[in-house]
């Protein structure tokens, strides 16, 4: 990381926001304070850097729209395809990938009913939010590429699990009523 | 040497005008000198700094610590005075 001294005011401000450090304007009298705070925050380890990634990601999405469409049909385990589509920005991808895979992995543990629904929902927005905003040409622009191994848990398994949990909950509910 | 609370009372009793930083509650000679060295020679300048830090006490404390190695008690006195000054005047 380059020296904090050489950062512009805007860069400092962005960095402070990244580390969620509440701050005012970066002026002469406050500069050294913020530099110190940033140094401490960095030393503590990069805590939170989600928003810049998401911002970049959304910007890049418009550019790499074509590459993303096969991923959309794949869904959750598309971290590999992200890397495939944007080799240049591997670093950002990686961060997003980790944050995304962290996102999808805890979900199965959490419990199926929400999982398949929400994961499906979560699949769609990241990959197709800006395409929807931008243009309506159908997402299935290209034939789905590699279906089998790109998902963490196959889609049908998610559906089956969801239905099973729903049935289970219904049974519990109905048994409660009779009692 | 007046106590912090007495100083505070004296300070907020009237508009600060051109009062020096020493008049601020919690700022004694040593701290006052350190602040003056950094060109914070008047109380209103320190108030200005408080405002630039968005009236955030935490930030203001950090800044005081950074600038003049104020301890907690001194910071508290400062903050109370600043808040009183700003909100009551």
């Amino acid at each position: 990381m380059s020296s904090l001294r050489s950062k512009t005011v805007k860069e400092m401000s962005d960095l402070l926001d990244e580390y969620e450090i509440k701050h005012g304007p970066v002026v002469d009298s406050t500069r050294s304070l913020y530099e110190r705070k940033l140094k401490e925050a960095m030393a503590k380890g990069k805590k939170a850097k989600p928003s810049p990634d998401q911002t970049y990601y959304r910007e890049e999405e418009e550019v790499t729209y074509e590459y993303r469409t096969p991923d959309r049909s794949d869904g959750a385990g598309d971290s590999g395809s992200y890397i495939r589509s944007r080799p240049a920005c591997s670093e950002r991808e990686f961060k997003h990938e980790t944050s995304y895979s962290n996102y999808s992995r805890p979900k199965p543990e959490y419990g199926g009913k929400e999982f398949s629904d929400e994961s499906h929902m979560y699949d769609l927005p990241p990959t197709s939010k800006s395409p929807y905003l931008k243009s309506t040409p159908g997402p299935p622009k290209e034939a789905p590429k590699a279906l089998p191994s790109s998902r963490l848990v196959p889609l049908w398994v998610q559906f089956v699990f969801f239905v099973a949990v729903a049935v289970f909950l219904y049974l519990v509910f109905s048994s409660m009523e009779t009692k | 040497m007046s106590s912090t609370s007495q100083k505070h009372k004296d300070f907020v009793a009237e508009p600060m005008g051109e009062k020096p930083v020493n008049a601020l509650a919690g700022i004694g000679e040593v701290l006052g000198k350190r602040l003056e060295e950094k060109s914070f020679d008047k109380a209103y300048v320190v108030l200005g700094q408080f405002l630039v830090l968005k009236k955030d006490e935490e930030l203001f404390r950090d800044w005081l610590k950074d600038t003049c190695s104020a301890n907690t008690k001194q910071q508290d006195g400062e903050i109370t005075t600043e808040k009183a000054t700003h909100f009551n005047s």
Side-chain angles (χ1 to χ4, degrees):
Chain A
M1 197 87 182
S2 58
S3 161
L4 289 171
R5 280 285 153 86
S6 56
K7 297 241 178 262
T8 65
V9 168
K10 178 90 175 56
E11 286 169 351
M12 287 287 287
S13 186
D14 291 340
L15 271 177
L16 287 162
D17 289 335
E18 259 182 52
Y19 289 98
E20 293 175 357
I21 298 173
K22 193 174 165 206
H23 66 97
V26 181
V27 291
D28 286 344
S29 59
T30 57
R31 178 118 193 174
S32 58
L33 172 69
Y34 293 139
E35 281 174 9
R36 192 171 62 85
K37 281 194 160 268
L38 278 175
K39 217 184 297 180
E40 285 171 11
M42 287 178 190
K44 224 181 277 179
K46 298 206 175 235
K47 194 184 71 152
K49 277 191 116 170
S51 31
D53 277 349
Q54 284 172 6
T55 319
Y56 294 146
Y57 181 65
R58 229 171 269 146
E59 286 169 0
E60 287 165 18
E61 238 184 300
E62 297 165 13
V63 176
T64 61
Y65 168 61
E66 292 174 46
Y67 293 103
R68 288 283 153 77
T69 44
D71 309 336
R72 199 186 144 280
S73 52
D74 287 342
D78 45 1
S79 38
S81 13
Y82 286 165
I83 289 178
R84 214 189 306 141
S85 55
R86 292 287 292 186
C89 305
S90 54
E91 193 189 302
R92 281 192 217 123
E93 293 273 29
F94 183 71
K95 284 193 194 128
H96 187 81
E97 173 201 336
T98 43
S99 64
Y100 196 76
S101 53
N102 288 341
Y103 208 63
S104 52
R105 249 166 237 150
K107 282 290 183 180
E109 298 161 16
Y110 190 76
K113 188 171 181 195
E114 293 169 12
F115 172 58
S116 42
D117 241 349
E118 285 188 11
S119 74
H120 207 56
M121 274 167 52
Y122 289 129
D123 292 338
L124 299 178
T127 53
S128 55
K129 201 185 267 187
S130 59
Y132 279 149
L133 288 174
K134 262 192 99 166
S135 53
T136 48
K141 223 173 151 185
E142 291 176 26
K145 253 188 190 173
L147 264 172
S149 57
S150 54
R151 268 188 166 272
L152 196 61
V153 176
L155 185 61
W156 66 271
V157 171
Q158 293 177 8
F159 278 133
V160 166
F161 192 44
F162 165 66
V163 170
V165 173
V167 165
F168 170 70
L169 287 174
Y170 174 72
L171 287 173
V172 168
F173 178 67
S174 52
S175 73
M176 275 164 61
E177 282 212 323
T178 51
K179 277 182 188 167
Chain B
M1 195 152 101
S2 48
S3 70
T4 302
S5 52
Q6 182 59 42
K7 252 182 143 182
H8 175 77
K9 276 194 211 142
D10 293 339
F11 191 81
V12 298
E14 53 180 7
M16 71 173 93
E18 300 292 319
K19 284 188 187 166
V21 278
N22 290 329
L24 284 164
I27 303 296
E29 275 198 48
V30 177
L31 285 188
K33 203 154 268 145
R34 287 191 204 145
L35 281 171
E36 281 171 14
E37 280 169 13
K38 303 258 171 94
S39 305
F40 290 88
D41 54 347
K42 295 283 183 195
Y44 66 76
V45 184
V46 179
L47 172 63
Q49 185 66 9
F50 180 58
L51 297 175
V52 160
L53 292 170
K54 295 198 148 182
K55 299 187 270 183
D56 184 284
E57 291 184 26
E58 185 68 42
L59 273 179
F60 187 63
R61 269 182 220 282
D62 286 343
W63 174 79
L64 271 177
K65 208 171 17 166
D66 208 25
T67 311
C68 54
S69 320
N71 65 33
T72 315
K73 187 170 165 211
Q74 290 158 331
Q75 291 166 15
D76 282 344
E78 260 297 292
I79 287 175
T80 315
T81 311
E82 296 297 349
K83 282 163 83 174
T85 312
H86 178 74
F87 294 117
N88 296 346
S89 61

mmCIF file of all heavy atoms in Angstrom, chain A residues 21-25 27 29-30 32-34 36-37, chain B residues 40 49 52-54 56 58-60 62-63 65-66:
data_model
loop_
_atom_site.group_PDB
_atom_site.id
_atom_site.type_symbol
_atom_site.label_atom_id
_atom_site.label_comp_id
_atom_site.label_asym_id
_atom_site.label_seq_id
_atom_site.Cartn_x
_atom_site.Cartn_y
_atom_site.Cartn_z
ATOM 1 N N ILE A 21 -14.482 4.095 9.073
ATOM 2 C CA ILE A 21 -14.045 5.087 10.055
ATOM 3 C C ILE A 21 -14.865 6.342 9.799
ATOM 4 O O ILE A 21 -14.814 6.927 8.715
ATOM 5 C CB ILE A 21 -12.547 5.405 9.884
ATOM 6 C CG1 ILE A 21 -11.718 4.149 10.128
ATOM 7 C CG2 ILE A 21 -12.134 6.503 10.835
ATOM 8 C CD1 ILE A 21 -10.257 4.333 9.807
ATOM 9 N N LYS A 22 -15.599 6.715 10.846
ATOM 10 C CA LYS A 22 -16.399 7.924 10.700
ATOM 11 C C LYS A 22 -15.452 9.113 10.598
ATOM 12 O O LYS A 22 -14.523 9.247 11.383
ATOM 13 C CB LYS A 22 -17.304 8.063 11.919
ATOM 14 C CG LYS A 22 -18.364 9.092 11.724
ATOM 15 C CD LYS A 22 -19.334 9.110 12.893
ATOM 16 C CE LYS A 22 -20.151 10.378 12.827
ATOM 17 N NZ LYS A 22 -20.646 10.793 14.113
ATOM 18 N N HIS A 23 -15.706 9.957 9.651
ATOM 19 C CA HIS A 23 -14.757 11.052 9.447
ATOM 20 C C HIS A 23 -15.428 12.277 8.876
ATOM 21 O O HIS A 23 -16.511 12.202 8.299
ATOM 22 C CB HIS A 23 -13.649 10.592 8.495
ATOM 23 C CG HIS A 23 -14.151 10.315 7.110
ATOM 24 N ND1 HIS A 23 -14.059 11.242 6.101
ATOM 25 C CD2 HIS A 23 -14.741 9.241 6.571
ATOM 26 C CE1 HIS A 23 -14.572 10.734 5.005
ATOM 27 N NE2 HIS A 23 -14.998 9.509 5.254
ATOM 28 N N GLY A 24 -14.756 13.385 9.039
ATOM 29 C CA GLY A 24 -15.213 14.632 8.451
ATOM 30 C C GLY A 24 -14.338 14.948 7.248
ATOM 31 O O GLY A 24 -13.691 14.064 6.692
ATOM 32 N N PRO A 25 -14.314 16.190 6.838
ATOM 33 C CA PRO A 25 -13.478 16.543 5.698
ATOM 34 C C PRO A 25 -12.008 16.316 6.022
ATOM 35 O O PRO A 25 -11.569 16.504 7.152
ATOM 36 C CB PRO A 25 -13.765 18.033 5.478
ATOM 37 C CG PRO A 25 -14.338 18.507 6.758
ATOM 38 C CD PRO A 25 -15.027 17.359 7.379
ATOM 39 N N VAL A 27 -8.910 17.780 5.916
ATOM 40 C CA VAL A 27 -8.232 19.073 5.737
ATOM 41 C C VAL A 27 -6.894 19.002 6.451
ATOM 42 O O VAL A 27 -6.545 17.986 7.053
ATOM 43 C CB VAL A 27 -9.085 20.225 6.310
ATOM 44 C CG1 VAL A 27 -10.311 20.434 5.465
ATOM 45 C CG2 VAL A 27 -9.483 19.956 7.738
ATOM 46 N N SER A 29 -5.786 20.200 9.161
ATOM 47 C CA SER A 29 -5.742 19.930 10.598
ATOM 48 C C SER A 29 -6.199 18.529 10.946
ATOM 49 O O SER A 29 -5.896 18.026 12.008
ATOM 50 C CB SER A 29 -6.591 20.960 11.343
ATOM 51 O OG SER A 29 -7.924 20.915 10.880
ATOM 52 N N THR A 30 -6.920 17.895 10.038
ATOM 53 C CA THR A 30 -7.425 16.556 10.360
ATOM 54 C C THR A 30 -6.650 15.457 9.648
ATOM 55 O O THR A 30 -6.821 14.275 9.944
ATOM 56 C CB THR A 30 -8.910 16.430 9.962
ATOM 57 O OG1 THR A 30 -9.045 16.727 8.570
ATOM 58 C CG2 THR A 30 -9.764 17.371 10.776
ATOM 59 N N SER A 32 -3.496 14.397 9.552
ATOM 60 C CA SER A 32 -2.597 13.469 10.252
ATOM 61 C C SER A 32 -3.386 12.535 11.157
ATOM 62 O O SER A 32 -3.020 11.367 11.332
ATOM 63 C CB SER A 32 -1.550 14.239 11.047
ATOM 64 O OG SER A 32 -2.191 15.094 11.965
ATOM 65 N N LEU A 33 -4.474 13.036 11.695
ATOM 66 C CA LEU A 33 -5.322 12.171 12.514
ATOM 67 C C LEU A 33 -5.854 11.012 11.701
ATOM 68 O O LEU A 33 -5.790 9.853 12.128
ATOM 69 C CB LEU A 33 -6.491 12.993 13.083
ATOM 70 C CG LEU A 33 -7.572 12.183 13.793
ATOM 71 C CD1 LEU A 33 -7.049 11.594 15.090
ATOM 72 C CD2 LEU A 33 -8.798 13.035 14.073
ATOM 73 N N TYR A 34 -6.368 11.312 10.505
ATOM 74 C CA TYR A 34 -6.933 10.256 9.670
ATOM 75 C C TYR A 34 -5.867 9.310 9.154
ATOM 76 O O TYR A 34 -6.106 8.115 9.010
ATOM 77 C CB TYR A 34 -7.715 10.871 8.507
ATOM 78 C CG TYR A 34 -8.959 11.611 8.941
ATOM 79 C CD1 TYR A 34 -9.314 12.818 8.360
ATOM 80 C CD2 TYR A 34 -9.770 11.101 9.953
ATOM 81 C CE1 TYR A 34 -10.446 13.492 8.762
ATOM 82 C CE2 TYR A 34 -10.897 11.777 10.355
ATOM 83 C CZ TYR A 34 -11.230 12.976 9.753
ATOM 84 O OH TYR A 34 -12.343 13.641 10.150
ATOM 85 N N ARG A 36 -3.252 8.481 10.766
ATOM 86 C CA ARG A 36 -2.950 7.592 11.881
ATOM 87 C C ARG A 36 -4.040 6.536 12.028
ATOM 88 O O ARG A 36 -3.771 5.354 12.223
ATOM 89 C CB ARG A 36 -2.813 8.411 13.166
ATOM 90 C CG ARG A 36 -2.225 7.623 14.328
ATOM 91 C CD ARG A 36 -1.918 8.557 15.483
ATOM 92 N NE ARG A 36 -3.103 9.215 15.992
ATOM 93 C CZ ARG A 36 -3.923 8.691 16.900
ATOM 94 N NH1 ARG A 36 -3.671 7.502 17.364
ATOM 95 N NH2 ARG A 36 -4.982 9.357 17.305
ATOM 96 N N LYS A 37 -5.259 6.958 11.907
ATOM 97 C CA LYS A 37 -6.368 6.016 12.055
ATOM 98 C C LYS A 37 -6.321 4.950 10.977
ATOM 99 O O LYS A 37 -6.573 3.779 11.237
ATOM 100 C CB LYS A 37 -7.701 6.767 11.990
ATOM 101 C CG LYS A 37 -8.031 7.449 13.281
ATOM 102 C CD LYS A 37 -9.494 7.886 13.313
ATOM 103 C CE LYS A 37 -9.947 8.100 14.716
ATOM 104 N NZ LYS A 37 -10.545 7.034 15.400
ATOM 105 N N PHE B 40 -3.232 26.311 17.267
ATOM 106 C CA PHE B 40 -4.576 26.380 17.843
ATOM 107 C C PHE B 40 -4.498 27.321 19.034
ATOM 108 O O PHE B 40 -4.513 26.903 20.189
ATOM 109 C CB PHE B 40 -5.040 24.992 18.273
ATOM 110 C CG PHE B 40 -5.329 24.090 17.123
ATOM 111 C CD1 PHE B 40 -4.331 23.314 16.566
ATOM 112 C CD2 PHE B 40 -6.598 24.041 16.577
ATOM 113 C CE1 PHE B 40 -4.588 22.498 15.489
ATOM 114 C CE2 PHE B 40 -6.861 23.211 15.491
ATOM 115 C CZ PHE B 40 -5.856 22.447 14.957
ATOM 116 N N GLN B 49 -12.173 23.005 15.154
ATOM 117 C CA GLN B 49 -11.691 21.641 14.921
ATOM 118 C C GLN B 49 -12.733 20.621 15.340
ATOM 119 O O GLN B 49 -12.945 19.622 14.655
ATOM 120 C CB GLN B 49 -10.392 21.425 15.722
ATOM 121 C CG GLN B 49 -9.736 20.106 15.470
ATOM 122 C CD GLN B 49 -9.218 19.963 14.053
ATOM 123 O OE1 GLN B 49 -9.188 20.916 13.275
ATOM 124 N NE2 GLN B 49 -8.818 18.765 13.696
ATOM 125 N N VAL B 52 -15.220 20.557 12.596
ATOM 126 C CA VAL B 52 -14.703 19.899 11.382
ATOM 127 C C VAL B 52 -14.698 18.387 11.549
ATOM 128 O O VAL B 52 -14.880 17.635 10.592
ATOM 129 C CB VAL B 52 -13.278 20.410 11.059
ATOM 130 C CG1 VAL B 52 -12.534 19.455 10.154
ATOM 131 C CG2 VAL B 52 -13.362 21.773 10.400
ATOM 132 N N LEU B 53 -14.523 17.957 12.788
ATOM 133 C CA LEU B 53 -14.587 16.530 13.058
ATOM 134 C C LEU B 53 -16.022 16.082 13.249
ATOM 135 O O LEU B 53 -16.287 15.054 13.880
ATOM 136 C CB LEU B 53 -13.749 16.195 14.299
ATOM 137 C CG LEU B 53 -12.254 16.377 14.089
ATOM 138 C CD1 LEU B 53 -11.519 16.276 15.410
ATOM 139 C CD2 LEU B 53 -11.708 15.349 13.118
ATOM 140 N N LYS B 54 -16.918 16.879 12.714
ATOM 141 C CA LYS B 54 -18.340 16.532 12.708
ATOM 142 C C LYS B 54 -18.916 16.340 14.098
ATOM 143 O O LYS B 54 -19.836 15.547 14.291
ATOM 144 C CB LYS B 54 -18.577 15.264 11.884
ATOM 145 C CG LYS B 54 -18.260 15.460 10.422
ATOM 146 C CD LYS B 54 -18.913 14.382 9.624
ATOM 147 C CE LYS B 54 -19.308 14.891 8.273
ATOM 148 N NZ LYS B 54 -19.971 13.921 7.465
ATOM 149 N N ASP B 56 -17.963 14.782 16.418
ATOM 150 C CA ASP B 56 -17.840 13.419 16.910
ATOM 151 C C ASP B 56 -16.856 13.388 18.061
ATOM 152 O O ASP B 56 -15.681 13.697 17.893
ATOM 153 C CB ASP B 56 -17.366 12.516 15.766
ATOM 154 C CG ASP B 56 -17.316 11.063 16.186
ATOM 155 O OD1 ASP B 56 -16.376 10.688 16.908
ATOM 156 O OD2 ASP B 56 -18.222 10.310 15.816
ATOM 157 N N GLU B 58 -15.583 10.945 19.776
ATOM 158 C CA GLU B 58 -14.511 9.961 19.650
ATOM 159 C C GLU B 58 -13.365 10.502 18.816
ATOM 160 O O GLU B 58 -12.197 10.434 19.195
ATOM 161 C CB GLU B 58 -15.099 8.709 19.003
ATOM 162 C CG GLU B 58 -14.160 7.552 18.911
ATOM 163 C CD GLU B 58 -13.820 6.986 20.272
ATOM 164 O OE1 GLU B 58 -14.724 6.871 21.105
ATOM 165 O OE2 GLU B 58 -12.634 6.687 20.490
ATOM 166 N N LEU B 59 -13.730 11.066 17.680
ATOM 167 C CA LEU B 59 -12.712 11.635 16.798
ATOM 168 C C LEU B 59 -11.994 12.794 17.470
ATOM 169 O O LEU B 59 -10.774 12.935 17.344
ATOM 170 C CB LEU B 59 -13.359 12.137 15.506
ATOM 171 C CG LEU B 59 -13.519 11.126 14.368
ATOM 172 C CD1 LEU B 59 -14.179 11.784 13.197
ATOM 173 C CD2 LEU B 59 -12.174 10.573 13.960
ATOM 174 N N PHE B 60 -12.769 13.592 18.163
ATOM 175 C CA PHE B 60 -12.178 14.754 18.810
ATOM 176 C C PHE B 60 -11.183 14.317 19.874
ATOM 177 O O PHE B 60 -10.101 14.887 20.011
ATOM 178 C CB PHE B 60 -13.287 15.616 19.410
ATOM 179 C CG PHE B 60 -12.815 16.928 19.948
ATOM 180 C CD1 PHE B 60 -12.245 17.874 19.114
ATOM 181 C CD2 PHE B 60 -12.915 17.224 21.297
ATOM 182 C CE1 PHE B 60 -11.801 19.085 19.603
ATOM 183 C CE2 PHE B 60 -12.488 18.446 21.796
ATOM 184 C CZ PHE B 60 -11.919 19.378 20.938
ATOM 185 N N ASP B 62 -9.504 11.544 19.884
ATOM 186 C CA ASP B 62 -8.322 11.047 19.183
ATOM 187 C C ASP B 62 -7.462 12.190 18.706
ATOM 188 O O ASP B 62 -6.231 12.134 18.772
ATOM 189 C CB ASP B 62 -8.745 10.196 17.985
ATOM 190 C CG ASP B 62 -9.275 8.851 18.419
ATOM 191 O OD1 ASP B 62 -9.009 8.469 19.575
ATOM 192 O OD2 ASP B 62 -9.936 8.193 17.610
ATOM 193 N N TRP B 63 -8.139 13.208 18.233
ATOM 194 C CA TRP B 63 -7.375 14.336 17.731
ATOM 195 C C TRP B 63 -6.616 15.026 18.863
ATOM 196 O O TRP B 63 -5.447 15.388 18.712
ATOM 197 C CB TRP B 63 -8.314 15.328 17.033
ATOM 198 C CG TRP B 63 -7.610 16.569 16.636
ATOM 199 C CD1 TRP B 63 -6.810 16.756 15.565
ATOM 200 C CD2 TRP B 63 -7.612 17.802 17.360
ATOM 201 N NE1 TRP B 63 -6.311 18.024 15.556
ATOM 202 C CE2 TRP B 63 -6.783 18.693 16.641
ATOM 203 C CE3 TRP B 63 -8.215 18.241 18.528
ATOM 204 C CZ2 TRP B 63 -6.561 19.996 17.063
ATOM 205 C CZ3 TRP B 63 -7.999 19.540 18.952
ATOM 206 C CH2 TRP B 63 -7.169 20.407 18.221
ATOM 207 N N LYS B 65 -5.620 13.696 21.626
ATOM 208 C CA LYS B 65 -4.538 12.809 22.016
ATOM 209 C C LYS B 65 -3.382 12.926 21.041
ATOM 210 O O LYS B 65 -2.228 12.987 21.420
ATOM 211 C CB LYS B 65 -5.058 11.363 22.048
ATOM 212 C CG LYS B 65 -4.312 10.506 23.005
ATOM 213 C CD LYS B 65 -4.896 9.140 23.247
ATOM 214 C CE LYS B 65 -5.891 8.651 22.268
ATOM 215 N NZ LYS B 65 -6.135 7.227 22.400
ATOM 216 N N ASP B 66 -3.761 12.978 19.770
ATOM 217 C CA ASP B 66 -2.766 13.056 18.722
ATOM 218 C C ASP B 66 -1.990 14.363 18.787
ATOM 219 O O ASP B 66 -0.786 14.409 18.676
ATOM 220 C CB ASP B 66 -3.498 12.960 17.382
ATOM 221 C CG ASP B 66 -2.611 12.354 16.326
ATOM 222 O OD1 ASP B 66 -1.698 11.611 16.691
ATOM 223 O OD2 ASP B 66 -2.833 12.652 15.149
#
